Amino acid sequence: PAYDRMPVWPLILAIGMRIAPNAIDEVVSRLTNVACLALAGIAIGALCRRLGVRPVFCLISGLYVMLSPILISLALNGMSEISFILIVNAGLALAFSGPRYLYPAAVLIGLGSLVRPNFVIVPLLFATLAFLLPSARRALISRATVKRAALALCLTLLPAGIWIDRKSTRLNS
């Protein structure tokens, strides 16, 4: 494996190659990305529904993502942004599904940083904003304890932390 690449996109491609082992790599990359784009549209629709949006608008938002010319272009060029959109939005939809899904959602959202490494700072920014904005701070404290929120933040950073540790261990040995 290449240690200079983030691992989730190659893992998703490996699933596509496992499904179609005799297909040309470029075709597998494009079709896997198109499948991820379709799933990302479903995840956006689910997220909208969890946020209380009317079902017809959830459908429209999901279709908009699936049929967006820019995202289709990214998918057909084999870019990892599509899998990033899928993973993060699926995690957000799970997070808004109820308190018992908070921790699995945090880990799923954290996997986003293993697709796009610059995402690793986003959970920290959200936590900072939650404590800086009075209304968000009150909602956080009234809905969940600070301890639970801190654990969710740690779980969000866990996938990137494991990858960084693995990468530094491999480079030092």
Short mmCIF file of all heavy atoms in Angstrom, two decimals, residues 134-173:
data_model
loop_
_atom_site.label_atom_id
_atom_site.label_comp_id
_atom_site.label_asym_id
_atom_site.label_seq_id
_atom_site.Cartn_x
_atom_site.Cartn_y
_atom_site.Cartn_z
N PRO A 134 -23.37 31.56 22.07
CA PRO A 134 -24.17 31.28 23.27
C PRO A 134 -25.35 30.33 23.02
O PRO A 134 -25.58 29.42 23.83
CB PRO A 134 -24.67 32.66 23.70
CG PRO A 134 -23.71 33.63 23.09
CD PRO A 134 -23.22 32.99 21.83
N SER A 135 -26.07 30.50 21.93
CA SER A 135 -27.23 29.62 21.69
C SER A 135 -26.78 28.17 21.44
O SER A 135 -27.41 27.24 21.93
CB SER A 135 -28.04 30.13 20.50
OG SER A 135 -27.25 30.17 19.34
N ALA A 136 -25.71 28.00 20.70
CA ALA A 136 -25.19 26.65 20.45
C ALA A 136 -24.65 26.03 21.74
O ALA A 136 -24.84 24.84 21.99
CB ALA A 136 -24.11 26.69 19.39
N ARG A 137 -24.00 26.84 22.56
CA ARG A 137 -23.46 26.34 23.83
C ARG A 137 -24.60 25.86 24.73
O ARG A 137 -24.53 24.79 25.32
CB ARG A 137 -22.63 27.43 24.51
CG ARG A 137 -21.93 26.95 25.77
CD ARG A 137 -20.98 27.97 26.36
NE ARG A 137 -21.57 29.28 26.53
CZ ARG A 137 -21.13 30.40 25.93
NH1 ARG A 137 -20.10 30.33 25.11
NH2 ARG A 137 -21.71 31.55 26.14
N ARG A 138 -25.69 26.64 24.82
CA ARG A 138 -26.85 26.23 25.64
C ARG A 138 -27.46 24.95 25.11
O ARG A 138 -27.81 24.05 25.87
CB ARG A 138 -27.89 27.34 25.67
CG ARG A 138 -27.55 28.46 26.62
CD ARG A 138 -28.75 29.38 26.82
NE ARG A 138 -29.20 30.00 25.58
CZ ARG A 138 -28.71 31.13 25.08
NH1 ARG A 138 -27.76 31.78 25.73
NH2 ARG A 138 -29.16 31.62 23.94
N ALA A 139 -27.60 24.84 23.79
CA ALA A 139 -28.19 23.64 23.19
C ALA A 139 -27.31 22.42 23.44
O ALA A 139 -27.82 21.34 23.73
CB ALA A 139 -28.39 23.85 21.69
N LEU A 140 -26.02 22.60 23.34
CA LEU A 140 -25.09 21.50 23.57
C LEU A 140 -25.19 21.01 25.00
O LEU A 140 -25.26 19.83 25.27
CB LEU A 140 -23.66 21.94 23.24
CG LEU A 140 -22.56 20.91 23.46
CD1 LEU A 140 -22.73 19.75 22.49
CD2 LEU A 140 -21.20 21.53 23.30
N ILE A 141 -25.22 21.94 25.93
CA ILE A 141 -25.26 21.57 27.34
C ILE A 141 -26.62 20.99 27.70
O ILE A 141 -26.71 20.05 28.49
CB ILE A 141 -24.89 22.78 28.22
CG1 ILE A 141 -23.40 23.11 28.01
CG2 ILE A 141 -25.17 22.49 29.68
CD1 ILE A 141 -22.95 24.38 28.65
N SER A 142 -27.70 21.48 27.08
CA SER A 142 -29.01 20.96 27.43
C SER A 142 -29.28 19.61 26.76
O SER A 142 -30.03 18.81 27.30
CB SER A 142 -30.11 21.97 27.05
OG SER A 142 -30.19 22.08 25.64
N ARG A 143 -28.72 19.34 25.62
CA ARG A 143 -28.98 18.08 24.91
C ARG A 143 -28.03 16.96 25.29
O ARG A 143 -28.38 15.80 25.24
CB ARG A 143 -28.89 18.31 23.40
CG ARG A 143 -30.03 19.11 22.89
CD ARG A 143 -30.04 19.12 21.38
NE ARG A 143 -31.05 20.06 20.93
CZ ARG A 143 -30.97 20.78 19.85
NH1 ARG A 143 -29.93 20.67 19.08
NH2 ARG A 143 -31.93 21.59 19.52
N ALA A 144 -26.85 17.28 25.57
CA ALA A 144 -25.86 16.26 25.92
C ALA A 144 -24.87 16.88 26.89
O ALA A 144 -24.66 18.09 26.89
CB ALA A 144 -25.13 15.79 24.66
N THR A 145 -24.29 16.05 27.67
CA THR A 145 -23.29 16.57 28.58
C THR A 145 -22.03 16.94 27.81
O THR A 145 -21.80 16.45 26.70
CB THR A 145 -22.94 15.53 29.66
OG1 THR A 145 -22.35 14.41 29.01
CG2 THR A 145 -24.16 15.11 30.44
N VAL A 146 -21.26 17.79 28.39
CA VAL A 146 -20.00 18.18 27.76
C VAL A 146 -19.10 16.95 27.62
O VAL A 146 -18.39 16.80 26.62
CB VAL A 146 -19.32 19.30 28.58
CG1 VAL A 146 -17.95 19.62 28.03
CG2 VAL A 146 -20.20 20.54 28.61
N LYS A 147 -19.19 16.05 28.56
CA LYS A 147 -18.38 14.83 28.52
C LYS A 147 -18.74 14.00 27.28
O LYS A 147 -17.86 13.50 26.57
CB LYS A 147 -18.63 14.03 29.79
CG LYS A 147 -17.84 12.77 29.93
CD LYS A 147 -18.16 12.13 31.27
CE LYS A 147 -17.54 10.78 31.41
NZ LYS A 147 -17.89 10.15 32.69
N ARG A 148 -20.03 13.87 27.00
CA ARG A 148 -20.47 13.11 25.82
C ARG A 148 -20.02 13.79 24.53
O ARG A 148 -19.58 13.14 23.59
CB ARG A 148 -21.99 12.97 25.86
CG ARG A 148 -22.52 12.12 24.78
CD ARG A 148 -24.00 11.92 24.92
NE ARG A 148 -24.49 11.38 23.67
CZ ARG A 148 -25.40 10.48 23.56
NH1 ARG A 148 -26.00 10.03 24.62
NH2 ARG A 148 -25.77 10.03 22.38
N ALA A 149 -20.13 15.12 24.48
CA ALA A 149 -19.69 15.86 23.30
C ALA A 149 -18.18 15.73 23.11
O ALA A 149 -17.70 15.60 21.97
CB ALA A 149 -20.09 17.32 23.42
N ALA A 150 -17.43 15.77 24.20
CA ALA A 150 -15.98 15.62 24.11
C ALA A 150 -15.60 14.23 23.60
O ALA A 150 -14.68 14.08 22.78
CB ALA A 150 -15.33 15.90 25.46
N LEU A 151 -16.33 13.22 24.06
CA LEU A 151 -16.07 11.86 23.58
C LEU A 151 -16.39 11.74 22.09
O LEU A 151 -15.63 11.13 21.33
CB LEU A 151 -16.88 10.84 24.38
CG LEU A 151 -16.71 9.38 23.97
CD1 LEU A 151 -15.26 8.94 24.06
CD2 LEU A 151 -17.59 8.49 24.83
N ALA A 152 -17.48 12.36 21.67
CA ALA A 152 -17.83 12.35 20.24
C ALA A 152 -16.74 13.04 19.42
O ALA A 152 -16.36 12.58 18.34
CB ALA A 152 -19.18 13.02 20.01
N LEU A 153 -16.21 14.15 19.93
CA LEU A 153 -15.13 14.85 19.23
C LEU A 153 -13.88 13.96 19.14
O LEU A 153 -13.25 13.87 18.09
CB LEU A 153 -14.80 16.17 19.93
CG LEU A 153 -13.66 16.98 19.32
CD1 LEU A 153 -14.02 17.42 17.90
CD2 LEU A 153 -13.36 18.18 20.18
N CYS A 154 -13.55 13.29 20.22
CA CYS A 154 -12.40 12.38 20.20
C CYS A 154 -12.61 11.24 19.20
O CYS A 154 -11.68 10.86 18.49
CB CYS A 154 -12.15 11.81 21.59
SG CYS A 154 -11.50 13.02 22.75
N LEU A 155 -13.83 10.70 19.15
CA LEU A 155 -14.12 9.63 18.19
C LEU A 155 -14.03 10.13 16.75
O LEU A 155 -13.64 9.40 15.85
CB LEU A 155 -15.50 9.04 18.45
CG LEU A 155 -15.61 8.16 19.69
CD1 LEU A 155 -17.07 7.78 19.94
CD2 LEU A 155 -14.74 6.92 19.57
N THR A 156 -14.39 11.41 16.55
CA THR A 156 -14.28 11.99 15.22
C THR A 156 -12.82 12.10 14.79
O THR A 156 -12.49 11.91 13.63
CB THR A 156 -14.95 13.38 15.19
OG1 THR A 156 -16.30 13.23 15.60
CG2 THR A 156 -14.92 13.99 13.82
N LEU A 157 -11.95 12.37 15.74
CA LEU A 157 -10.52 12.51 15.43
C LEU A 157 -9.78 11.18 15.45
O LEU A 157 -8.63 11.10 15.00
CB LEU A 157 -9.89 13.49 16.41
CG LEU A 157 -10.43 14.91 16.37
CD1 LEU A 157 -9.87 15.74 17.50
CD2 LEU A 157 -10.15 15.55 15.03
N LEU A 158 -10.41 10.12 15.95
CA LEU A 158 -9.77 8.82 16.09
C LEU A 158 -9.27 8.23 14.77
O LEU A 158 -8.11 7.81 14.69
CB LEU A 158 -10.72 7.84 16.79
CG LEU A 158 -10.16 6.44 17.05
CD1 LEU A 158 -9.03 6.51 18.07
CD2 LEU A 158 -11.27 5.52 17.54
N PRO A 159 -10.08 8.18 13.69
CA PRO A 159 -9.55 7.59 12.44
C PRO A 159 -8.29 8.30 11.93
O PRO A 159 -7.34 7.63 11.53
CB PRO A 159 -10.71 7.74 11.46
CG PRO A 159 -11.94 7.78 12.31
CD PRO A 159 -11.52 8.52 13.55
N ALA A 160 -8.29 9.61 11.97
CA ALA A 160 -7.10 10.35 11.51
C ALA A 160 -5.92 10.08 12.44
O ALA A 160 -4.79 9.92 11.97
CB ALA A 160 -7.39 11.85 11.44
N GLY A 161 -6.17 10.00 13.73
CA GLY A 161 -5.10 9.72 14.69
C GLY A 161 -4.47 8.36 14.47
O GLY A 161 -3.24 8.20 14.52
N ILE A 162 -5.30 7.36 14.21
CA ILE A 162 -4.79 6.01 13.95
C ILE A 162 -3.95 6.01 12.67
O ILE A 162 -2.87 5.42 12.62
CB ILE A 162 -5.95 5.00 13.86
CG1 ILE A 162 -6.57 4.81 15.24
CG2 ILE A 162 -5.47 3.67 13.30
CD1 ILE A 162 -7.84 4.00 15.24
N TRP A 163 -4.44 6.69 11.63
CA TRP A 163 -3.70 6.74 10.37
C TRP A 163 -2.37 7.46 10.54
O TRP A 163 -1.35 7.02 10.03
CB TRP A 163 -4.54 7.39 9.28
CG TRP A 163 -3.82 7.43 7.96
CD1 TRP A 163 -3.31 8.53 7.35
CD2 TRP A 163 -3.49 6.33 7.13
NE1 TRP A 163 -2.68 8.17 6.17
CE2 TRP A 163 -2.78 6.82 6.01
CE3 TRP A 163 -3.72 4.95 7.21
CZ2 TRP A 163 -2.32 6.01 4.99
CZ3 TRP A 163 -3.25 4.15 6.19
CH2 TRP A 163 -2.56 4.67 5.10
N ILE A 164 -2.37 8.56 11.25
CA ILE A 164 -1.14 9.32 11.48
C ILE A 164 -0.14 8.47 12.25
O ILE A 164 1.05 8.42 11.91
CB ILE A 164 -1.44 10.64 12.21
CG1 ILE A 164 -2.17 11.60 11.27
CG2 ILE A 164 -0.15 11.28 12.73
CD1 ILE A 164 -2.77 12.80 11.97
N ASP A 165 -0.62 7.75 13.27
CA ASP A 165 0.27 6.89 14.05
C ASP A 165 0.83 5.77 13.19
O ASP A 165 2.03 5.49 13.23
CB ASP A 165 -0.49 6.32 15.25
CG ASP A 165 0.40 5.44 16.10
OD1 ASP A 165 1.44 5.95 16.59
OD2 ASP A 165 0.07 4.25 16.27
N ARG A 166 -0.01 5.16 12.39
CA ARG A 166 0.44 4.08 11.51
C ARG A 166 1.46 4.59 10.51
O ARG A 166 2.48 3.94 10.27
CB ARG A 166 -0.76 3.49 10.77
CG ARG A 166 -0.41 2.38 9.83
CD ARG A 166 -1.70 1.83 9.20
NE ARG A 166 -1.41 0.69 8.37
CZ ARG A 166 -1.23 0.73 7.06
NH1 ARG A 166 -1.30 1.90 6.43
NH2 ARG A 166 -0.99 -0.35 6.38
N LYS A 167 1.17 5.74 9.95
CA LYS A 167 2.07 6.31 8.94
C LYS A 167 3.42 6.66 9.56
O LYS A 167 4.47 6.37 9.00
CB LYS A 167 1.42 7.54 8.32
CG LYS A 167 2.11 8.04 7.10
CD LYS A 167 1.27 9.13 6.46
CE LYS A 167 1.99 9.68 5.26
NZ LYS A 167 1.24 10.69 4.56
N SER A 168 3.41 7.27 10.74
CA SER A 168 4.68 7.64 11.38
C SER A 168 5.45 6.40 11.82
O SER A 168 6.68 6.39 11.75
CB SER A 168 4.44 8.59 12.55
OG SER A 168 3.78 7.93 13.60
N THR A 169 4.76 5.36 12.25
CA THR A 169 5.43 4.11 12.64
C THR A 169 6.10 3.48 11.43
O THR A 169 7.23 3.03 11.52
CB THR A 169 4.40 3.15 13.26
OG1 THR A 169 3.81 3.76 14.38
CG2 THR A 169 5.07 1.86 13.68
N ARG A 170 5.40 3.47 10.28
CA ARG A 170 5.97 2.89 9.06
C ARG A 170 7.17 3.69 8.55
O ARG A 170 8.12 3.13 8.06
CB ARG A 170 4.92 2.83 7.95
CG ARG A 170 3.84 1.85 8.20
CD ARG A 170 4.35 0.48 7.92
NE ARG A 170 3.25 -0.46 8.10
CZ ARG A 170 3.32 -1.70 7.74
NH1 ARG A 170 4.40 -2.18 7.19
NH2 ARG A 170 2.32 -2.51 7.95
N LEU A 171 7.07 5.00 8.66
CA LEU A 171 8.16 5.85 8.16
C LEU A 171 9.39 5.78 9.05
O LEU A 171 10.51 5.94 8.60
CB LEU A 171 7.68 7.30 8.01
CG LEU A 171 6.65 7.54 6.91
CD1 LEU A 171 6.18 8.98 6.94
CD2 LEU A 171 7.23 7.20 5.56
N ASN A 172 9.17 5.54 10.35
CA ASN A 172 10.31 5.48 11.29
C ASN A 172 10.96 4.12 11.33
O ASN A 172 12.04 3.97 11.85
CB ASN A 172 9.85 5.87 12.69
CG ASN A 172 9.51 7.34 12.78
OD1 ASN A 172 10.03 8.14 12.02
ND2 ASN A 172 8.63 7.69 13.72
N SER A 173 10.29 3.08 10.80
CA SER A 173 10.90 1.73 10.86
C SER A 173 11.62 1.35 9.61
O SER A 173 11.77 2.00 8.66
CB SER A 173 9.84 0.69 11.16
OG SER A 173 8.83 0.68 10.20
#
